[in-house]
């Protein structure tokens, strides 16, 4: 195999940059909340790195240098567009479970999107490393950043992006090191608890997987009573690109039995997204014998129940995740 | 007598440039006379190096007992400072009806090949 040297740094090769592509995509997804945007950002990172290879002085590792460039690219991207969100970020009040609540899709809104594991998780056999990597793509950094007070944002960015020491941050912000550490802890906790209740199911946790299987079984059988019995009492459901979101098992059940009844007869395929197990739903179409792509379901769990259901509607997600265009009935 | 130091930043200051600027600023602050550091951000691009440079200069100023103001920053840079929660640490200086006239004439403290000289000047109001 031939290797391509970069300009005046013959010891930096294209392959050296490329081997970081996947983890950089995960990092950029965390910053941007979109797989498409993350891939664009990584491409831009590679181009900038290529052009600036002669300025890589070798004092930091190539990986650190690439991360710095990727951070710049992501901040550029964030400055040029609205932050990505989920419906619950747009409205504090849940919607009524009727079709009128659906309204028109909001294509102008930049939604958080699912991303395939294969594009962002490293190829590793180390379970601990894999768990950590999964955590890193389970929420969008910037979507969560919006929920932090300014002081916590500053501490988080100075400590975790710019890598300042705690005492430097304290001095700049005119506070104590203890306050900085406390703010950082609170910021991390907010990031970790991006959703009020649950966490993404762990694909290696047998109880989580069993709960997910029961969800799929109930959905495919369209046994809404069984589906509702799996839900946490504070469960939510949303369907971007619509702003609608539902709260509580009763309303979620009513939605499925009302406006959502066209999903009866659907089939679900497993799909590895966002470091967890999701489901691609194909629903009956106007073409006999054919099921059409409808939504990618991402669930969260709390206290042994399903605490949130996010249905990413649209065939574009299926294409991005490499899923079949349709299924036979 | 209080004095103001003005610093002009290049578009995308390198870590070396930032360290040089901070060292030069630190030297100017040792007398204890300077009460205000004004950072001219006209050329500064709203990227992470800008945040790093501004924050480092603010830290140096604070250590020297001076306040910091930022002038002529682009909207993109302000929105970035708001996003990262540093807009209060780096407040904007109200536009000055009389243009800043560095006195003595601006002295380049570090010139980077191909880049505009980084200026460190002083004026006494």
């Amino acid at each position: 195999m031939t290797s391509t040297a970069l300009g005046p740094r013959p010891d930096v090769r294209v392959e050296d940059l490329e081997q970081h592509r996947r983890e950089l995509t995960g990092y950029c997804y965390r910053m941007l909340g979109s797989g498409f945007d993350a891939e664009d950002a990584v491409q831009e990172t590679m181009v900038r790195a290529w052009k600036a290879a002669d300025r890589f002085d070798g004092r930091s590792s190539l990986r650190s240098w690439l991360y710095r460039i990727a951070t710049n690219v992501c901040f550029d991207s964030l400055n040029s567009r609205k932050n990505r969100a989920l419906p619950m970020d747009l409205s504090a009040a849940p919607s009524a479970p009727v079709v009128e609540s659906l309204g028109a899709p909001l294509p102008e809104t930049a939604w958080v999107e699912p991303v395939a594991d294969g594009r962002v998780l490293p190829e590793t056999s180390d379970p601990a490393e894999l768990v950590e990597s999964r955590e890193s793509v389970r929420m969008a950094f910037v979507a969560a950043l919006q929920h932090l007070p300014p002081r916590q944002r500053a501490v988080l960015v100075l400590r975790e992006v710019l890598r300042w020491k705690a005492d430097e941050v304290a001095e700049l912000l005119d506070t104590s090191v203890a306050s900085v550490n406390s703010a950082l802890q609170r910021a991390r906790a907010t990031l970790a608890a991006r959703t009020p209740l649950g966490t993404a199911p762990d694909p290696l946790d047998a109880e989580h997987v069993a709960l997910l299987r029961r969800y799929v079984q109930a959905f495919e059988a369209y046994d809404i009573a069984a589906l509702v019995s799996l839900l946490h009492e504070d469960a939510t459901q949303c369907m971007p690109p619509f702003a609608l979101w539902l709260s509580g098992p009763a309303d979620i059940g009513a939605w499925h039995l009302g406006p959502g009844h066209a999903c009866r007869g659907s089939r679900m395929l497993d799909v590895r997204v966002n470091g967890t197990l999701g489901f691609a739903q194909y629903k009956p179409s106007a073409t006999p014998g054919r099921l059409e792509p409808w939504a990618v379901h991402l669930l969260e769990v709390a206290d042994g129940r399903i605490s949130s259901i996010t249905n990413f509607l649209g065939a574009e997600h299926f294409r991005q995740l490499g899923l079949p265009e349709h299924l036979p009935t | 007598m209080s004095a103001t130091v003005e610093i002009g930043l290049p578009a995308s200051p390198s870590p070396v440039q930032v360290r040089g600027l901070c060292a030069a600023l630190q030297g100017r602050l040792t007398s204890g006379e300077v009460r205000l550091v004004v950072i001219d951000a006209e050329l500064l691009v709203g990227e992470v190096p800008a945040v790093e440079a501004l924050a480092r200069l603010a830290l140096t100023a604070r250590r020297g007992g001076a306040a910091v103001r930022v002038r002529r920053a682009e909207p993109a840079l302000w929105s970035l400072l708001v996003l990262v929660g540093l807009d209060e640490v780096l407040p904007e200086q109200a536009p000055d009806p009389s243009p800043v006239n560095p006195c003595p004439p601006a002295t380049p403290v570090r010139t980077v090949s191909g880049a505009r000289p980084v200026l460190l000047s002083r004026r006494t109001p």
Side-chain angles (χ1 to χ4, degrees):
Chain A
M1 188 172 105
T2 58
S3 65
T4 311
L6 291 181
R9 292 284 306 187
D11 49 332
V12 178
R13 299 162 306 163
V14 171
E15 302 92 287
D16 297 330
L17 301 182
E18 284 297 326
Q19 69 171 344
H20 298 286
R21 181 178 286 272
R22 192 180 288 209
E23 67 170 309
L24 285 172
T25 308
Y27 175 73
C28 292
Y29 173 75
R30 192 174 165 217
M31 296 282 279
L32 302 174
S34 154
F36 288 119
D37 289 355
E39 291 200 339
D40 285 351
V42 172
Q43 193 54 37
E44 174 66 17
T45 299
M46 295 299 182
V47 169
R48 288 193 195 182
W50 174 280
K51 287 180 179 169
D54 59 331
R55 278 181 267 152
F56 174 59
D57 55 18
R59 278 184 294 184
S60 64
S61 71
L62 182 65
R63 182 168 174 267
S64 304
W65 184 62
L66 285 172
Y67 266 77
R68 280 210 303 278
I69 297 173
T71 304
N72 286 344
V73 172
C74 288
F75 272 108
D76 287 355
S77 172
L78 292 166
N79 265 346
S80 64
R81 66 151 168 78
K82 287 186 286 186
N83 294 333
R84 289 187 176 269
L86 285 171
M88 285 82 91
D89 300 319
L90 304 183
S91 163
S95 320
V98 293
V99 73
E100 290 76 20
S101 301
L102 204 54
L106 301 176
E108 73 277 16
T109 302
W111 301 105
V112 172
E113 293 170 348
V115 63
D117 281 5
R119 293 161 68 198
V120 294
L121 295 183
E123 287 171 323
T124 176
S125 55
D126 179 351
E129 191 183 330
L130 200 54
V131 166
E132 192 179 319
S133 301
R134 283 198 185 112
E135 286 300 328
S136 76
V137 293
R138 275 180 184 167
M139 51 79 203
F141 177 77
V142 169
L145 202 61
Q146 300 171 95
H147 294 264
L148 299 177
R151 180 57 60 102
Q152 286 182 34
R153 278 188 234 166
V155 169
L156 190 75
V157 169
L158 289 166
R159 290 283 284 126
E160 302 218 328
V161 177
L162 300 179
R163 300 289 172 191
W164 280 37
K165 293 174 189 161
D167 60 340
E168 293 175 326
V169 177
E171 220 176 328
L172 179 68
L173 302 181
D174 198 18
T175 187
S176 64
V177 170
S179 296
V180 166
N181 289 336
S182 164
L184 183 60
Q185 270 186 344
R186 289 199 302 277
R188 283 175 176 158
T190 303
L191 293 184
R194 165 81 180 85
T195 49
L197 265 184
T199 56
D202 181 351
L204 303 177
D205 182 316
E207 285 184 19
H208 284 182
V209 172
L211 181 63
L212 298 181
R213 292 285 165 233
R214 288 167 66 198
Y215 172 81
V216 170
Q217 202 174 11
F219 195 92
E220 288 187 332
Y222 222 67
D223 181 347
I224 300 308
L227 190 147
V228 165
S229 74
L230 304 175
L231 300 179
H232 192 282
E233 60 180 346
D234 295 320
T236 59
Q237 178 173 357
C238 64
M239 287 165 267
F242 293 97
L244 166 141
W245 68 278
L246 304 166
S247 177
D251 279 5
I252 293 172
W255 175 268
H256 281 91
L257 292 172
H261 72 279
C263 290
R264 190 184 295 273
S266 292
R267 278 180 60 201
M268 310 274 252
L269 294 185
D270 289 4
V271 55
R272 299 302 287 263
V273 285
N274 290 51
T276 185
L277 186 57
F279 304 99
Q281 176 204 342
Y282 291 78
K283 77 168 196 172
S285 69
T287 311
R290 190 163 133 163
L291 299 171
E292 64 184 11
W294 183 248
V296 174
H297 295 216
L298 243 71
L299 310 180
E300 290 185 331
V301 297
D303 307 326
R305 300 205 170 213
I306 292 164
S307 58
S308 83
I309 304 168
T310 303
N311 296 341
F312 294 97
L313 303 183
E316 68 273 17
H317 299 306
F318 287 67
R319 285 192 290 275
Q320 194 198 1
L321 297 170
L323 292 159
E325 286 183 12
H326 54 85
L327 293 182
T329 51
Chain B
M1 184 174 66
S2 69
T4 299
V5 164
E6 182 179 335
I7 302 169
L9 288 174
S12 187
S14 70
V16 172
Q17 284 177 301
V18 173
R19 278 198 294 274
L21 279 167
C22 288
L25 177 61
Q26 194 179 3
R28 301 298 294 269
L29 296 175
T30 49
S31 69
E33 289 180 1
V34 176
R35 290 284 176 268
L36 180 64
V37 174
V38 177
I39 304 172
D40 186 345
E42 185 187 15
L43 301 177
L44 205 52
V45 179
E47 295 178 345
V48 172
V51 177
E52 170 76 12
L54 291 170
R56 284 282 169 207
L57 286 167
L59 178 61
T60 306
R62 180 176 287 279
R63 284 173 172 167
V68 170
R69 295 285 182 277
V70 179
R71 62 191 292 262
R72 298 203 293 179
E74 288 291 317
L77 178 58
W78 283 122
S79 67
L80 178 60
L81 291 176
V82 170
L83 177 72
V84 301
L86 288 173
D87 51 316
E88 287 185 12
V89 176
L90 293 155
E92 183 176 15
Q93 188 192 35
D96 189 350
S98 59
V100 173
N101 185 17
C103 180
T107 309
V109 294
R110 180 172 293 278
T111 304
V112 179
S113 175
R116 175 177 148 153
V118 177
L119 304 179
L120 188 70
S121 62
R122 173 180 169 164
R123 68 185 173 120
T124 304

